Amino acid sequence: KKYFLKRLLITIFVLSNLTSLAQTGNFRVDRLAVDYAKLSYQNVINTSKNLLRKEKSLNEIQTIEVLSKLSNSLYNVNDYKQAEVYFERLISLIGDNKENADFLKKYAQVLAGNGKNSMASQVWKRVANLEKGNEIAEDFSILQENLEPLVRNT
């Protein structure tokens, strides 16, 4: 009976340590998806920033996942200054391809919202190149280059 209790305590101790190790890796990244689906953007933002501080513990896929959830959450709460930083970092990792065009679109919107119209125009051109025939992207790239017609009567 004495040995059983000792083994039980050791087992509980070992399992509790393994659980805490699991929470610092993939579990926390997976938890972001749950929080994001629940629209808990502030939780996503806080958790993501903590994870990125310990970025060496993340592999490239996890880093991309964290950056995408973080940048989208910042976009959704209208924190465009911070969103710009994380979208830029995300896009530098994933590159320009058709599957990631939505990130580029949001990045262009964030740049325009931050008053960086020339940069926004360049990103819209990249979107137009990825999505041939996307007239909206083409129009936005032209519009961002020359805002004068929109603001001259204000």
Side-chain angles (χ1 to χ4, degrees):
K1 203 171 188 181
K2 189 176 182 182
Y3 292 111
F4 173 75
L5 185 57
K6 198 174 191 178
R7 280 186 174 172
L8 180 64
L9 288 174
I10 291 171
T11 304
I12 290 171
F13 177 75
V14 169
L15 289 176
S16 68
N17 284 338
L18 288 176
T19 303
S20 67
L21 286 174
Q23 291 175 347
T24 62
N26 203 11
F27 172 77
R28 290 182 66 189
V29 174
D30 292 341
R31 180 75 189 150
L32 287 177
V34 173
D35 285 343
Y36 190 81
K38 290 181 179 178
L39 308 179
S40 299
Y41 298 130
Q42 198 57 53
N43 287 345
V44 172
I45 291 166
N46 294 336
T47 303
S48 296
K49 287 182 176 181
N50 285 333
L51 283 168
L52 290 173
R53 282 188 199 108
K54 305 170 191 170
E55 192 170 355
K56 292 186 188 263
S57 66
L58 302 174
N59 62 37
E60 186 176 354
I61 293 169
Q62 291 169 336
T63 301
I64 290 169
E65 180 71 17
V66 171
L67 286 170
S68 68
K69 296 287 188 272
L70 176 57
S71 55
N72 279 321
S73 294
L74 290 165
Y75 174 89
N76 289 333
V77 298
N78 298 323
D79 188 345
Y80 290 162
K81 291 209 183 296
Q82 284 193 60
E84 178 184 341
V85 172
Y86 292 106
F87 271 120
E88 185 176 334
R89 207 165 143 193
L90 172 65
I91 291 167
S92 72
L93 284 175
I94 60 177
D96 288 8
N97 59 53
K98 204 168 189 168
E99 294 81 35
N100 300 322
D102 286 341
F103 292 123
L104 282 171
K105 291 174 189 174
K106 285 184 179 178
Y107 180 48
Q109 292 169 2
V110 163
L111 288 169
N114 289 340
K116 298 181 178 178
N117 300 317
S118 176
M119 290 174 66
S121 175
Q122 295 303 314
V123 175
W124 280 117
K125 286 178 184 174
R126 289 162 57 187
V127 172
N129 285 336
L130 291 174
E131 298 179 342
K132 300 293 183 203
N134 184 337
E135 293 178 17
I136 294 171
E138 292 170 9
D139 290 346
F140 274 124
S141 73
I142 293 167
L143 176 67
Q144 293 298 317
E145 282 180 353
N146 183 18
L147 291 177
E148 197 274 325
L150 290 178
V151 295
R152 71 173 154 222
N153 293 327
T154 57

